[in-house]
Amino acid sequence: MPLELDLALPPEVAYDELARYAAILAAAGLHPGEADFVHIRKRSLDARGRRPLVRLRADIYLRAEPAPAHALLGPWFSYPDVRHAKRRVLVVGAGPAGLFAALRCIELGMRPIVLERGRDVRARRRDLAAINKEHRVDPDSNYCFGEGGAGTYSDGKLYTRATKRGDVGRILRRLVQHGATPDILVDAHPHIGTNKLPAVVQSLRDVIIAAGGEVRFETRVEDFILENNYLRGVVTQTGEAIEAEATVLATGHSARDIYELLHRRGVAIEAKPFALGVRVEHPQALIDRAQYGRPERGLLPAASYALVEQTQVREARRGVFSFCMCPGGFIVPAATAPGEIVVNGMSPSRRDSRFANSGIVAAVELVDLDVARHGPLAGLRFQQAIEQAACRLAGGTQAAPAQLLGDFLQKKQSPTLLETSYQPGLVSVELDAILGPALSERLRQGFRAFGRKIPDFATNAAQIVGVESRTSSPIRIPRDNETLRHPTVAGLYPCGEGAGYAGGIVSAAMDGERVAEAVFGE
């Protein structure tokens, strides 16, 4: 067994490979010749004290005990040939839930047919450029739709608290096998980066095809083949009917036409709580100074934060919290249809932008929605109304409504705005006119509380950009806890974030694997 060691090192030592190796051996009381291999098992940044430290957990393999093969990566994944498999499974959506469901299907000897409404991960770039430069939104290929799903071009954070839903390490190892940096197996808050994810996603697709699976792009599902409460397959936009014994529905939290289709065809869906708010953008240097307590961060990574506050408006308590914080990142347009404004955040792998941004959102409960009028689509309608108002008041393009944060707290329009990372541009608008009085007041209470925790956070050194409305699905597609199948429609397996069972890349991937296993067990 290796010698296990926990230690804390200053950043200039922890991020220098030779210095780190020497410090680990010294802490273990060893000389360089006595150790054959040092494996860093976990790494996290601790900035709570006056001097930031990097905490490491290391395994030291002595000369007499060489490191086993795959000490870091674990066993390599292999995939059988399923070209002639008897069982076919439709997977609707090529985000993390759909791709990992397809891979698990292959491992279990089933042939997946993946249907993706958008374009492949490389071709998507042209559609993203059209949004940023021409303000033109393709409803089928954008920051949310297309190969890899919303996560591919909106950051690639891999941290999850859903550790009881599956094997997080298995998901991370699979990503490393397909090109992600091995650092994601070590870091406490792993991150691939928007610039690195496309190659990983393409590798996942290549493996599916090489094993005999099928991946079809620009294939939008427009109807279901339903017979006696059994989903036999789907009908695409070209009128083609595709049948299989099971359909995994992994369409993501923005596939509103799928929710509408389910509702229209009488397949049970439910309204669920979600959160909605704005993106706040600061100079990254401001966040670095506040979090690290020094004028320059030096070797330290771009600083982040996680904030939460309980607010009360009209005797109703709701949480306000930071969401998808992007250090050294960019704000991006995430609308999925013309006539709406939606913003999201992303960071490249180096997190080297001059800006920091984060969603600051307030919880929206069912009692806040007009369920009596809109039924299970009430949350969707609430989102749509706010997104359309944002577009209308900002001029009808993809330029986003924005306000200096200090001005928002004082309820006044900003005469000028700050430089921004948001490429389509900003328009000065009072955000109250979009969010309404209750949401606006909740955000004000939250920002004031956050300003007491981080110096200069809630001032005109920052600006808020609207709207951050796609934090999670406003709808849940119910499923049985054991079989993971829809309770009234056989053959239908709701999956991932769009069905209400995940909240990020890793949790969606784990859910995809679980659903594939459930299909296999039927």
Side-chain angles (χ1 to χ4, degrees), residues 122 152 178-181 192-201 348-350:
R122 300 292 177 184
T152 301
H178 291 281
T181 171
I192 295 180
T194 302
N195 55 322
K196 302 288 188 180
L197 263 169
V200 175
V201 168
S349 58
R350 294 178 64 182

Side-chain angles (χ1 to χ4, degrees), residues 162-195:
T163 54
K164 295 181 180 179
R165 299 184 186 181
D167 186 347
V168 174
R170 173 185 166 86
I171 301 300
L172 298 182
R173 289 194 302 274
R174 203 192 288 268
L175 289 169
V176 170
Q177 177 173 338
H178 291 281
T181 171
D183 286 348
I184 66 174
L185 301 173
V186 174
D187 289 332
H189 288 79
H191 171 255
I192 295 180
T194 302
N195 55 322

Side-chain angles (χ1 to χ4, degrees), residues 248-272:
V248 176
L249 197 61
T251 50
H253 62 40
S254 291
R256 291 170 169 171
D257 55 338
I258 294 295
Y259 298 139
E260 301 270 11
L261 174 59
L262 290 164
H263 190 52
R264 187 169 67 250
R265 294 301 304 270
V267 179
I269 57 176
E270 306 164 349
K272 65 176 277 292

Side-chain angles (χ1 to χ4, degrees), residues 5-22:
L5 184 69
D6 289 317
L7 72 165
L9 299 174
E12 57 269 21
V13 175
Y15 295 126
D16 182 302
E17 186 173 355
L18 293 178
R20 181 179 67 238
Y21 178 74

Side-chain angles (χ1 to χ4, degrees), residues 193-253:
T194 302
N195 55 322
K196 302 288 188 180
L197 263 169
V200 175
V201 168
Q202 183 171 332
S203 177
L204 294 172
R205 179 232 303 169
D206 290 345
V207 164
I208 293 170
I209 294 172
E214 191 174 347
V215 180
R216 301 190 191 183
F217 297 112
E218 300 182 63
T219 304
R220 184 178 63 252
V221 170
E222 290 205 340
D223 202 0
F224 298 132
I225 305 171
L226 275 168
E227 291 182 1
N228 299 320
N229 292 324
Y230 175 65
L231 183 62
R232 290 179 41 229
V234 301
V235 179
T236 72
Q237 83 274 21
T238 64
E240 180 184 6
I242 307 173
E243 297 189 14
E245 70 174 59
T247 298
V248 176
L249 197 61
T251 50
H253 62 40

Side-chain angles (χ1 to χ4, degrees), residues 165-482:
R165 299 184 186 181
D167 186 347
V168 174
R170 173 185 166 86
I171 301 300
L172 298 182
R173 289 194 302 274
R174 203 192 288 268
L175 289 169
V176 170
Q177 177 173 338
H178 291 281
T181 171
D183 286 348
I184 66 174
L185 301 173
V186 174
D187 289 332
H189 288 79
H191 171 255
I192 295 180
T194 302
N195 55 322
K196 302 288 188 180
L197 263 169
V200 175
V201 168
Q202 183 171 332
S203 177
L204 294 172
R205 179 232 303 169
D206 290 345
V207 164
I208 293 170
I209 294 172
E214 191 174 347
V215 180
R216 301 190 191 183
F217 297 112
E218 300 182 63
T219 304
R220 184 178 63 252
V221 170
E222 290 205 340
D223 202 0
F224 298 132
I225 305 171
L226 275 168
E227 291 182 1
N228 299 320
N229 292 324
Y230 175 65
L231 183 62
R232 290 179 41 229
V234 301
V235 179
T236 72
Q237 83 274 21
T238 64
E240 180 184 6
I242 307 173
E243 297 189 14
E245 70 174 59
T247 298
V248 176
L249 197 61
T251 50
H253 62 40
S254 291
R256 291 170 169 171
D257 55 338
I258 294 295
Y259 298 139
E260 301 270 11
L261 174 59
L262 290 164
H263 190 52
R264 187 169 67 250
R265 294 301 304 270
V267 179
I269 57 176
E270 306 164 349
K272 65 176 277 292
F274 57 102
L276 190 148
V278 296
R279 279 262 144 193
V280 62
E281 185 170 56
H282 292 85
Q284 180 63 52
L286 184 153
I287 303 300
D288 291 341
R289 286 194 301 271
Q291 297 296 75
Y292 295 144
R294 55 173 67 177
E296 301 291 338
R297 70 170 185 257
L299 293 174
L300 291 166
S304 63
Y305 55 80
L307 300 166
V308 63
E309 179 71 14
Q310 284 295 318
T311 66
Q312 184 162 330
V313 175
R314 301 172 190 166
E315 301 183 355
R317 291 179 64 80
R318 300 282 185 274
V320 171
F321 54 94
S322 58
F323 171 82
C324 185
M325 197 274 153
C326 298
F330 305 88
I331 300 178
V332 297
T336 52
E340 62 189 28
I341 293 289
V342 181
V343 295
N344 198 354
M346 54 162 269
S347 295
S349 58
R350 294 178 64 182
R351 290 180 163 171
D352 54 359
S353 161
R354 294 183 294 112
F355 301 96
N357 73 79
S358 176
I360 302 293
V361 295
V364 178
E365 302 292 345
L366 296 185
V367 294
D368 303 322
L369 306 173
D370 193 349
V371 177
R373 179 181 178 189
H374 299 297
L377 301 177
L380 189 154
R381 298 288 181 249
F382 185 84
Q383 286 180 334
Q384 285 177 316
I386 288 180
E387 293 165 6
Q388 291 166 6
C391 185
R392 184 173 62 254
L393 293 177
T397 68
Q398 283 299 297
Q403 194 172 4
L404 298 184
L405 180 47
D407 291 344
F408 174 72
L409 295 177
Q410 296 180 41
K411 300 184 180 182
K412 66 179 186 180
Q413 187 168 347
S414 301
T416 60
L417 295 171
L418 304 173
E419 191 178 356
T420 182
S421 64
Y422 183 75
Q423 288 190 39
L426 303 178
V427 177
S428 179
V429 173
E430 286 194 64
L431 270 298
D432 284 53
I434 295 168
L435 300 169
L439 264 175
S440 297
E441 178 55 29
R442 291 195 190 286
L443 292 176
R444 285 191 182 91
Q445 290 182 24
F447 277 124
R448 290 189 181 105
F450 302 157
R452 292 190 289 271
K453 298 175 182 178
I454 298 179
D456 295 324
F457 187 92
T459 69
N460 277 354
Q463 60 194 355
I464 57 175
V465 181
V467 289
E468 172 80 56
S469 52
R470 309 284 180 95
T471 56
S472 66
S473 171
I475 288 170
R476 178 177 288 108
I477 307 172
R479 68 186 187 191
D480 182 85
N481 289 335
E482 298 297 326

